[in-house]
Amino acid sequence: GLVFGTLLALASVGLSLIFGTTGLSNFAHGEQVTLGGILAYLGTQVVGLPLLVSGAIAVILAAASGWLQDAAIWHPLRKRRVGMTQQLIVTIGLAITLQYVYQFFLGGSSLRIVRSNPATVTLGPVYITQQSLISLGIAAVALGGVSYFLVATRIGRATRAVSDNPALASASGITVDRIIRLVWTVGAGLAGLGGVLMGLYLNATAWNMGSTLLLLMFAAVTLGGLGTAFGALVGSIVIGLVVELSNLVIPSDMRYAGALVILILVLLLRPQGILGRAERIG
């Protein structure tokens, strides 16, 4: 559960940052996760690159796709002052399009990034694969780097300022569009890294992996607090534990349903989430 939650946090943090800076719920974010896994598969199994090299290239290309998306789609829409509802519909259409583009070119079967059986490690009563431990370490380092970036760097503080109040941030001299472009790039890169590591954790990736995880990402972001990166991290850990431990009491095919229950309860009992701020309405 801790491993799954940490890997889920890589994608959820990017989704939360995008919502915080733009107010947009990006339903195509799951396809960024899928893109990372697919690129790692192509680099490893088709091109024949070492796993570390293909994984690094996958993350770089995923980040570049986030930059391109904002430059080609979201920045022009913001410039034309298109409403959030219309932009939300665009993300849904983009998600559906990308899903079937992946399926058309790669088929509907599972794609194994590494075809050899992973070695296992025994930690007391726990059996875990070496891939999962390495993935956990990489994810922890990446999340630590994002945390340092948001807290201790000037651009990170500007990102939090834009997330808190874009108009005030702009009035104080911050270039809001440049920060948003950076957030789209970093968010897509984190999602791509999450896709690579999730593909290793699940032993395979597929054309619809991201869409399957999208509900969990939204549940994690809502649980932690919309627009807060640290809240997304906390929410992802909770969701990961719930999803994996629910196998003890319900069939494994229904394990993602627990995330939906948590999402509904959070919206009913604490809409602002664990680390979110309560807002007055009316």
Side-chain angles (χ1 to χ4, degrees):
L2 291 173
V3 174
F4 183 71
T6 304
L7 301 184
L8 184 66
L10 287 173
S12 300
V13 166
L15 182 64
S16 182
L17 286 173
I18 291 171
F19 178 85
T21 53
T22 65
L24 177 65
S25 297
N26 182 20
F27 279 80
H29 197 72
E31 276 52 60
Q32 293 295 139
V33 178
T34 306
L35 179 63
I38 287 176
L39 290 174
Y41 163 79
L42 292 175
T44 304
Q45 299 300 334
V46 178
V47 181
L49 297 173
L51 177 58
L52 289 177
V53 175
S54 64
I57 293 174
V59 173
I60 293 172
L61 291 178
S65 73
W67 185 95
L68 182 62
Q69 277 187 49
D70 185 62
I73 302 175
W74 309 117
H75 177 70
L77 291 179
R78 290 195 306 271
K79 192 174 181 179
R80 292 177 177 269
R81 299 186 182 277
V82 175
M84 282 300 141
T85 301
Q86 292 91 326
Q87 291 189 43
L88 177 65
I89 294 172
V90 173
T91 68
I92 296 173
L94 180 61
I96 295 172
T97 301
L98 290 176
Q99 282 180 37
Y100 290 105
V101 167
Y102 297 153
Q103 187 186 37
F104 179 79
F105 286 104
L106 296 167
S109 59
S110 298
L111 307 171
R112 296 193 65 180
I113 299 174
V114 177
R115 292 179 180 174
S116 59
N117 293 324
T120 59
V121 177
T122 303
L123 301 174
V126 177
Y127 295 90
I128 190 170
T129 65
Q130 289 182 354
Q131 285 184 4
S132 295
L133 281 178
I134 295 173
S135 297
L136 178 61
I138 294 174
V141 170
L143 291 171
V146 172
S147 300
Y148 178 81
F149 166 77
L150 291 174
V151 173
T153 67
R154 185 175 181 180
I155 299 178
R157 289 191 290 269
T159 301
R160 289 189 289 132
V162 172
S163 178
D164 186 59
N165 192 321
L168 183 60
S170 178
S172 64
I174 296 173
T175 308
V176 174
D177 280 336
R178 187 178 299 174
I179 294 297
I180 292 175
R181 181 71 53 84
L182 176 65
V183 166
W184 274 99
T185 304
V186 173
L190 288 173
L193 177 60
V196 175
L197 300 182
M198 194 68 76
L200 295 174
Y201 173 74
L202 299 175
N203 289 325
T205 186
W207 64 279
N208 62 343
M209 179 178 72
S211 61
T212 303
L213 297 173
L214 186 63
L215 172 63
L216 302 183
M217 286 188 273
F218 273 115
V221 170
T222 305
L223 175 61
L226 287 172
T228 60
F230 296 107
L233 173 59
V234 173
S236 296
I237 298 298
V238 174
I239 293 297
L241 289 170
V242 169
V243 166
E244 295 297 344
L245 293 176
S246 63
N247 290 330
L248 298 174
V249 293
I250 62 175
S252 60
D253 292 340
M254 296 179 61
R255 60 180 186 162
Y256 291 168
L260 178 60
V261 173
I262 291 177
L263 179 61
I264 295 172
L265 290 177
V266 169
L267 292 175
L268 289 174
L269 302 176
R270 187 178 171 84
Q272 72 269 26
I274 296 174
L275 299 182
R277 294 179 300 177
E279 296 182 4
R280 182 175 179 176
I281 300 176

